[in-house]
Amino acid sequence: MITDVFCKILNKELPADIVAEDDNWLAINDINPQAPVHVLIMPKKHLTDVCAATQDDAKLLGELLMAANKIAKKLGLEEKGFRLIINHGEHGGQLVPHLHIHLLGGKRLGPKIIAESK
Ligand code: AMP
């Protein structure tokens, strides 16, 4: 049985601040936001990470990016800009083993996309 926190949110076992939803994905506000806008976009299908996806998931992966496109526009981020991040595994700093895209914006983000961990 898959019991990651995002599956629990998708199964309505845990509450979440839902931003948008479609047949195949859910977007929620991050519980610990790193920017004024910090949305997490996740597939409803359980994929542990981006490497768990197969060619059969290509359409779904495209839908996740289109979700980011639509949400960024809806939140007025297109003009000033935003950042999309997918963490993978230990070195990538992935904490939740359920594929998700971070959509960050609402302020000028740091010039570096990586911060070294001690
Ligand atoms: P990652 O390090 O890429 O796996 O990111 C996981 C993200 O999920 C972090 O930014 C957490 O703050 C966020 N997070 C963890 N639990 C929850 C939750 N219950 N609701 C919303 N966001 C969460």
Side-chain angles (χ1 to χ4, degrees):
M1 196 172 117
I2 297 158
T3 55
D4 73 80
V5 67
F6 293 166
C7 274
K8 287 184 177 165
I9 288 171
L10 288 162
N11 288 332
K12 313 285 183 214
E13 292 167 35
L14 280 178
D17 185 7
I18 294 174
V19 174
E21 184 169 9
D22 207 343
D23 289 347
N24 296 322
W25 54 262
L26 179 71
I28 64 171
N29 279 317
D30 196 291
I31 204 167
N32 183 23
Q34 303 299 307
V37 174
H38 188 169
V39 175
L40 304 171
I41 302 157
M42 65 193 72
K44 292 187 175 178
K45 173 182 177 179
H46 178 81
L47 291 171
T48 303
D49 50 44
V50 73
C51 286
T54 68
Q55 192 58 41
D56 288 345
D57 298 308
K59 184 167 179 286
L60 176 60
L61 296 182
E63 285 181 41
L64 297 179
L65 271 185
M66 283 310 298
N69 164 321
K70 286 177 194 151
I71 294 165
K73 287 175 181 169
K74 186 172 130 189
L75 298 179
L77 299 177
E78 185 180 16
E79 187 188 343
K80 293 275 190 184
F82 56 91
R83 186 171 292 163
L84 302 178
I85 296 173
I86 299 176
N87 294 321
H88 178 95
E90 185 186 343
H91 281 189
Q94 183 180 5
L95 295 174
V96 177
H98 186 121
L99 175 61
H100 52 283
I101 300 175
H102 296 256
L103 165 56
L104 295 146
K107 72 170 186 182
R108 183 181 294 275
L109 300 168
K112 296 184 177 174
I113 58 166
I114 56 169
E116 207 164 310
S117 187
K118 297 247 176 353

